[in-house]
């Protein structure tokens, strides 16, 4: 980021570039609208018609190393950033030659080469990512700026406020650009916002902010220069509200019943291209014949882009699932024989894993609610603030979506964040960022961007915390492609899974059962990273396979001990990884014992146990000598009263009873 002057230099070459930039976007999108009516472009198509001055006035001021986070109306941003027009159009065609391999389409353009971090179809969804990119720059002491574009509708979303608060709190080099076109889809701003001055909202967070006429490309550029100079001088964020208007529908599906044709016509008379071109010709800075030459140049480029897209190829069906996860992962750590054993708790084992990771790699940092001064809700990070300092042990506001998204953005920028969400129920507030960004970015960008973030959270019941703090939702997350989901139960896994997860190039969620934190046990003093791909046989047996994970492991082991006294030999499998599932180990065990009981603290309906059971039915049906069985939580929100809570979740007696019933069953 280098801004030598805050005043635009309106020489002939510069004004010609500004006008051509806007005409190029406009005529390209006119062609896109035509191609849409021909069904060459499918899905949603959101056009930038009327807003061209914003991208044109801002993006050329950025350096190559600066980043752009766009919104779903991002064709203009992509073109101004330098992504070839043919590559953009091929993406809109869904062709393999597109800038995201045809996997993102019109709303999700990506280019690692151009530091273009994509359009985002989730309103306000890109703001936390931009904050995370800025956080990475702050931690690395880079002089890079992230420009984040979004519409005024985002101002009603929680992620807008969470992101602005974080950017101001942490003094991050982010340029927030609100493209205020007056309508969030079909709802006028005055109908949805009590405060229609969006820049005033940003100012409430202590962010330097201003509103500018977004239909005046020179005014936009001048404002952007001021903004970038402010960021360069202070390292702090800037908020720029560009008041503009979209001449076309929200998307090509939109009948525009919410505004009159007269209103649109009135605004067209103030359009950025017409306005600038008229001024240039009246002032003698540009003549009509030069405008004609610009149009010819642009139209020739469009013809070539259409030809490129038309000649594009479809990605083979055989590669459909390529890049859901990284094709390149480090080899699993080699097992290390234990030397001397030391007594520890599960809590301290997790803490030791964090200390180990942070000591090894300066890119690792911990962020989350109360992880610093308080020491963590479950005291896992107690004392780490003094050891590593506030940059690396980073307390966050109570804004799960905002700080989780920031962690995702920091990971994309090359950091290795450990994001702690206080409890699994709270993680639902961050589900948008986990599902729509972390899990999808690699595949949707055609492997251009990876998200090596680790998200930890407490899960499970037994502490009398009632329904809003006590559920086991890890099975929900195990449903999502693009995530790796772990459930450490032993001391070794509590310590060692974290380091292996941090070396993984994809997002990893780690679920720590609340009933394990105080559990004591032995661990080798040389304990280190562990394999996160394989299930483990925790107890050998020959009559029945008990398949479980996390907080239910030790109940299941206790049940196996009780069953042994009654002549039933139970093999206990600790899944450890819930996505992907190590079905090879499970099937090998069931093939030996010929019976299976799945113990899962999640609810039975749509549960992980149902998935495992179905896979066994599909892949090992003829190895079974009895029906499949499972022990799950009752179909009820977890109650507060202790006797009801205990009755709601799997217990040793329920496991033993299920096994006895199964042993009597016939195939």
């Amino acid at each position: 980021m280098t801004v030598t002057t805050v005043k635009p230099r309106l020489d002939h070459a510069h004004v010609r570039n500004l006008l051509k930039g806007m005409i190029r976007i406009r005529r390209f999108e006119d062609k896109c609208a035509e191609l849409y009516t021909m069904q060459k472009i499918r899905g949603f198509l959101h056009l930038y018609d009327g807003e061209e001055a914003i991208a044109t006035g801002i993006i050329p001021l950025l350096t190559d190393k600066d980043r752009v986070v766009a919104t779903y109306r991002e064709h203009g941003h992509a073109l101004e950033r330098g992504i070839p027009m043919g590559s953009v159009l091929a993406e809109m065609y869904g062709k393999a030659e597109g800038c995201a391999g045809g996997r993102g389409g019109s709303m999700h353009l990506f280019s690692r080469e151009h530091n273009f971090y994509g359009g985002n179809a989730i309103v306000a969804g890109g703001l936390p990512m931009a904050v995370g990119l800025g956080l990475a720059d702050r931690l690395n002491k880079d002089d890079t700026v992230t420009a984040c574009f979004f519409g005024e509708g985002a101002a009603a979303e929680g992620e807008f406020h969470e992101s602005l608060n974080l950017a101001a709190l942490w003094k991050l080099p982010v340029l927030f650009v609100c493209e205020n076109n007056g309508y969030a889809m079909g709802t006028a701003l005055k109908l949805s916002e009590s405060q229609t001055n969006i820049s005033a909202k940003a100012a409430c967070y202590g962010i330097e902010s201003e509103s500018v006429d977004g239909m005046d490309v020179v005014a936009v550029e001048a404002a952007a220069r001021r903004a970038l100079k402010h960021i360069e001088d202070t390292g702090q964020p800037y908020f720029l509200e560009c008041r503009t208007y979209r001449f076309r529908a929200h998307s090509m599906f939109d009948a525009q019943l919410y505004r009159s044709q007269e209103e649109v016509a009135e605004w067209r008379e103030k359009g950025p291209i017409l306005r600038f071109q008229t001024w240039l010709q009246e002032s003698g800075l540009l003549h009509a014949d030069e405008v004609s030459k610009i149009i010819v140049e642009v139209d020739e480029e469009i013809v070539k882009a259409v030809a490129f897209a038309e000649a594009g190829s479809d990605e083979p069906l055989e590669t459909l699932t390529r890049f859901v996860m990284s094709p390149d992962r480090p080899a699993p750590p080699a097992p290390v024989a234990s030397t001397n054993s030391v007594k520890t708790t599960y809590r301290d084992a997790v803490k030791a894993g964090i200390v180990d990771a942070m000591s090894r790699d300066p890119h690792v940092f911990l962020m989350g609610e109360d992880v610093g001064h308080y020491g963590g809700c479950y005291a896992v990070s107690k004392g780490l603030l003094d050891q590593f300092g506030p940059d690396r042990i980073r307390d966050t506001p109570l804004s799960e979506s905002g700080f989780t998204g920031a962690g995702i953005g920091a990971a994309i920028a090359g950091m290795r964040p450990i994001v702690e969400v206080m409890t699994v129920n709270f993680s639902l507030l961050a589900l948008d960022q986990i599902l729509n960004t972390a899990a999808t970015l690699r595949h949707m960008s055609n492997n251009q961007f990876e998200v090596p973030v680790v998200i930890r959270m407490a899960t499970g019941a037994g502490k009398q915390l009632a329904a809003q703090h006590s559920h086991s939702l890890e099975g929900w997350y195990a449903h999502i492609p693009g995530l790796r989901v772990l459930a450490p139960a032993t001391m070794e896994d509590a310590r060692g899974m974290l380091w292996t997860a941090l070396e993984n190039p994809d997002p990893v969620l780690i679920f720590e059962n609340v009933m394990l934190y105080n559990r004591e046990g032995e661990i080798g003093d040389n304990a280190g990273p562990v394999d996160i791909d394989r299930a483990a046989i925790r107890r050998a047996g020959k009559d029945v396979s008990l398949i479980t994970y996390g907080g239910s492991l030790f109940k299941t082991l206790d049940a196996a001990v009780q069953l042994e006294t009654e002549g039933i030999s139970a093999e206990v499998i600790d899944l450890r990884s819930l996505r992907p599932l190590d079905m090879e180990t499970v099937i090998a065990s069931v093939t030996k014992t010929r019976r299976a009981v799945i113990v899962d603290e999640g609810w039975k309906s749509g549960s992980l146990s149902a998935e495992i059971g179905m896979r066994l039915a599909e892949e090992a049906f003829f190895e079974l000598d009895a029906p499949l069985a499972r022990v799950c939580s009752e179909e009820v929100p977890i109650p507060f009263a202790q006797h009801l809570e205990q009755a709601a979740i799997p217990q040793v007696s329920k496991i033993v009873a299920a096994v006895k019933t199964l042993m009597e069953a016939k195939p």
Side-chain angles (χ1 to χ4, degrees):
M1 172 181 54
T2 303
V3 179
T4 56
T5 175
V6 295
K7 293 183 179 180
R9 181 178 175 82
L10 298 179
D11 56 24
H12 178 269
H14 185 53
V15 298
R16 189 184 193 279
N17 285 338
L18 289 176
L19 183 62
K20 182 176 180 179
M22 292 191 292
I23 289 175
R24 184 169 176 256
I25 295 170
R26 176 74 59 85
R27 294 185 75 82
F28 171 74
E29 290 204 318
D30 285 346
K31 174 56 72 170
C32 290
E34 176 187 331
L35 293 168
Y36 190 88
T37 62
M38 299 166 62
Q39 297 191 8
K40 298 282 189 177
I41 298 173
R42 307 292 293 266
F44 284 127
L45 180 64
H46 305 85
L47 300 178
Y48 203 51
D49 191 1
E51 304 180 40
E52 298 89 351
I54 303 172
T56 304
I58 296 174
I59 293 178
L61 299 177
L62 304 174
T63 66
D64 290 344
K65 67 178 183 178
D66 292 331
R67 305 185 182 92
V68 174
V69 176
T71 182
Y72 51 79
R73 200 182 306 280
E74 88 273 30
H75 313 138
H77 308 88
L79 293 176
E80 279 296 320
R81 190 55 177 162
I83 304 177
M85 186 183 289
S87 180
V88 171
L89 189 58
E91 183 62 32
M92 296 164 74
Y93 269 51
K95 297 299 182 180
E97 291 76 13
C99 59
R103 295 181 173 204
S106 169
M107 294 188 290
H108 311 102
L109 306 175
F110 294 92
S111 177
R112 163 66 77 178
E113 178 185 354
H114 297 89
N115 267 324
F116 194 84
Y117 285 70
N120 198 312
I122 308 300
V123 175
L127 277 82
M129 180 199 295
V131 168
L133 295 170
L135 176 58
D137 291 334
R138 169 68 62 228
L139 292 173
N140 289 325
K141 297 180 171 57
D142 290 336
D143 61 347
T144 308
V145 66
T146 297
C148 180
F149 295 84
F150 51 92
E152 82 291 337
E157 295 282 0
E159 285 168 319
F160 171 89
H161 297 276
E162 294 178 20
S163 298
L164 264 58
N165 181 52
L166 285 171
L169 181 68
W170 292 341
K171 299 178 172 55
L172 304 180
V174 180
L175 172 58
F176 295 101
V177 182
C178 177
E179 299 179 322
N180 182 354
N181 63 34
Y183 290 92
M185 195 164 173
T187 302
L189 187 62
K190 64 183 179 182
L191 299 178
S192 64
E193 297 295 311
S194 60
Q195 169 58 273
T196 59
N197 184 347
I198 307 300
S199 62
K201 297 188 178 191
C204 289
Y205 293 99
I207 296 177
E208 191 75 21
S209 61
E210 67 173 297
S211 292
V212 65
D213 183 354
M215 310 295 270
D216 182 344
V217 69
V218 176
V220 171
E221 181 184 333
R225 286 179 175 275
R226 289 192 295 273
L228 293 171
K229 183 63 174 169
H230 171 84
I231 296 173
E232 185 174 43
D233 291 345
T234 68
Q236 298 189 28
Y238 199 96
F239 191 95
L240 184 58
E241 178 188 7
C242 299
R243 295 178 180 267
T244 184
Y245 192 86
R246 56 173 168 81
F247 299 150
R248 288 183 179 266
H250 169 73
S251 74
M252 293 295 286
F253 285 123
D254 175 13
Q256 298 195 81
L257 301 178
Y258 48 86
R259 62 183 184 179
S260 68
Q261 293 180 354
E262 291 76 17
E263 178 183 310
V264 177
E266 181 182 345
W267 273 96
R268 277 201 177 273
E269 293 301 315
K270 311 176 206 174
I273 297 175
L274 176 62
R275 183 174 176 178
F276 191 53
Q277 183 178 323
T278 300
W279 179 75
L280 290 176
Q281 292 180 230
E282 288 177 350
S283 62
L285 286 172
L286 208 64
H287 299 295
D289 60 333
E290 288 189 88
V291 177
S292 298
K293 288 179 182 178
I294 289 173
I295 292 173
V296 169
E297 292 169 9
V298 168
D299 286 350
E300 287 176 351
E301 184 183 10
I302 291 172
V303 168
K304 292 178 182 177
V306 172
F308 181 81
E310 292 280 353
S313 57
D314 293 334
E315 181 177 352
L317 295 179
E318 293 75 20
T319 58
L320 169 65
T321 58
R322 184 175 62 171
F323 304 141
V324 174
M325 307 291 281
S326 174
D328 302 308
R329 295 181 64 223
V336 177
S338 177
T339 54
N340 297 322
S341 293
V342 294
K343 192 172 184 178
T344 190
T345 64
Y346 184 95
R347 172 186 293 103
D348 286 338
V350 175
K351 180 178 179 178
I354 296 172
V355 171
D356 182 42
M358 295 187 69
S359 300
R360 289 171 180 257
D361 186 350
H363 293 97
V364 176
F365 66 96
L366 173 68
M367 63 187 295
E369 298 148 317
D370 291 314
V371 299
H373 293 85
Y374 191 89
C377 179
Y378 292 95
V380 169
S381 54
K382 188 175 181 179
L384 297 190
L385 178 63
D386 292 336
Q387 184 173 353
F388 293 103
D391 275 353
R392 299 187 67 196
I393 304 296
R394 186 170 289 267
D395 279 320
T396 67
L398 304 181
S399 56
E400 287 82 3
S401 189
F403 72 71
T404 300
I408 290 167
I412 297 169
M415 301 299 288
R416 288 294 186 269
I418 305 168
V419 178
E420 179 176 315
V421 179
M422 194 175 288
T423 175
V424 65
N425 297 69
F426 294 176
S427 75
L428 298 182
L429 295 167
L431 185 58
D432 167 38
Q433 290 295 319
I434 296 170
L435 169 62
N436 286 316
T437 301
T440 64
L441 201 66
R442 180 185 295 279
H443 189 264
M444 196 163 57
S445 72
N446 201 31
N447 204 39
Q448 293 183 79
F449 295 102
E450 63 182 27
V451 189
V453 66
V454 173
I455 303 173
R456 298 174 40 249
M457 63 191 85
T459 187
K463 293 283 189 180
Q464 279 194 266
L465 301 178
Q468 293 181 345
H469 284 72
S470 303
H471 290 130
S472 296
L473 305 180
E474 48 269 31
W476 288 18
Y477 288 99
H479 177 67
I480 303 171
L483 301 178
R484 189 171 293 273
V485 179
L486 306 178
T490 65
M491 304 297 168
E492 292 79 9
D493 283 356
R495 177 187 171 108
M497 277 188 168
L498 180 63
W499 176 248
T500 315
L502 285 165
E503 289 189 322
N504 192 76
D506 295 301
V508 180
L509 274 57
I510 301 179
F511 292 87
E512 300 160 6
N513 192 281
V514 294
M515 298 306 293
L516 296 177
Y517 282 123
N518 291 330
R519 189 176 183 88
E520 295 182 343
E522 300 285 329
I523 189 172
D525 61 4
N526 63 336
V530 299
D531 187 1
I532 61 173
D533 291 333
R534 308 294 295 180
I537 304 296
R538 299 299 186 191
R539 178 187 174 96
K542 59 184 178 62
D543 295 328
V544 62
S545 297
L546 304 183
I547 305 158
T548 192
Y549 66 89
S552 295
L553 172 62
F554 297 101
K555 295 177 184 179
T556 305
L557 287 168
D558 289 345
V561 171
Q562 184 173 327
L563 289 165
E564 189 72 32
T565 65
E566 302 185 38
I568 300 172
S569 174
E571 182 152 290
V572 178
I573 303 171
D574 178 6
L575 291 171
R576 304 173 72 242
S577 172
L578 309 187
R579 187 178 185 100
L581 287 166
D582 176 14
M583 289 304 297
E584 182 180 343
T585 297
V586 173
I587 290 173
S589 175
V590 172
T591 299
K592 177 177 66 173
T593 65
R594 311 191 76 80
R595 290 175 173 82
V597 176
I598 306 154
V599 182
D600 178 3
E601 198 170 309
W603 294 299
K604 182 178 291 186
S605 298
S607 64
L608 189 66
S609 66
E611 174 65 23
I612 295 169
M614 190 63 204
R615 291 203 194 183
L616 285 172
E618 290 173 338
E619 301 173 41
F621 179 78
F622 293 105
E623 308 300 330
L624 295 169
D625 284 348
L628 295 165
R630 52 184 166 157
V631 178
C632 298
S633 287
E634 298 298 326
E635 304 277 312
V636 61
I638 301 298
F640 166 74
Q642 186 178 41
H643 68 293
L644 295 177
E645 180 183 39
Q646 293 301 309
I649 60 179
Q651 302 293 351
V652 172
S653 59
K654 291 183 179 181
I655 300 169
V656 169
V659 171
K660 287 183 175 180
T661 299
L662 185 67
M663 297 303 295
E664 297 172 358
K666 302 298 181 183

